[in-house]
Amino acid sequence: MDLTDGTVPLVRGELDRALAVYEPSGLIGVSCIAQGSDSLFADAVLAAGGRLVVVIPSRDYRQAKVKPDHAETFDRLLDAADEALVMPHANRQAYEAANAVLLERADRLVAVWNMQPPTGKGGGTADVVHEARAAGVPVDVVWPDGASRRA
């Protein structure tokens, strides 16, 4: 969520390249469409002609977590989705449950990840990468040269 402004086009370019190998008719992207790389991935899936499945971490996510500068993108991606799943949680468990659904539906995980270890909070990118690998789901890590996060 905290990609620097200069990192956004780098990541988007890498996502476009990663998805270009798929036939549009068979491409289904699953995303929580959070601000940052989740939304960049969702946009890249749609731009590649794929279908989008959105996993919303909680019933109140839009009101409680989506910041005003992301609301338009969130709403646009949700409207573009072929399917939307809403998790019943309203706490940190919501992110873990959303990631579990994402992994259940995934043949492959594309993770925008700077290779930093899990924070211990649960539900973060490092956590889902480790869970995917443990479940035998192939993981493609996207972190282009020059990419950085805000401190």
Side-chain angles (χ1 to χ4, degrees):
M1 293 179 65
D2 53 358
L3 300 174
T4 62
D5 292 341
T7 295
V8 170
L10 298 173
V11 166
R12 177 56 195 268
E14 287 297 312
L15 289 170
D16 288 342
R17 282 186 281 286
L19 297 178
V21 301
Y22 296 97
E23 190 64 39
S25 63
L27 178 61
I28 301 170
V30 183
S31 175
C32 294
I33 65 173
Q35 188 168 10
S37 55
D38 284 11
S39 292
L40 290 173
F41 173 76
D43 269 328
V45 166
L46 295 171
R51 297 184 354 222
L52 180 62
V53 174
V54 170
V55 180
I56 306 295
S58 65
R59 288 185 291 271
D60 68 341
Y61 184 82
R62 169 68 169 80
Q63 296 76 25
K65 296 293 183 181
V66 176
K67 294 187 168 85
D69 63 337
H70 181 60
E72 183 179 325
T73 299
F74 182 91
D75 293 342
R76 176 180 53 77
L77 292 171
L78 185 57
D79 287 344
D82 284 342
E83 182 181 359
L85 306 167
V86 180
M87 301 291 94
H89 307 285
N91 54 25
R92 191 71 197 172
Q93 250 184 332
Y95 302 106
E96 294 171 10
N99 286 341
V101 168
L102 187 142
L103 287 178
E104 286 171 11
R105 290 182 163 233
D107 294 324
R108 166 169 241 92
L109 178 70
V110 178
V112 177
W113 182 39
N114 62 357
M115 308 296 278
Q116 294 299 307
T119 62
K121 295 179 186 177
T125 303
D127 298 300
V128 77
V129 167
H130 291 302
E131 290 165 17
R133 288 178 173 158
V137 175
V139 177
D140 294 328
V141 174
V142 172
W143 194 254
D145 288 340
S148 61
R149 295 188 182 275
R150 290 183 198 98

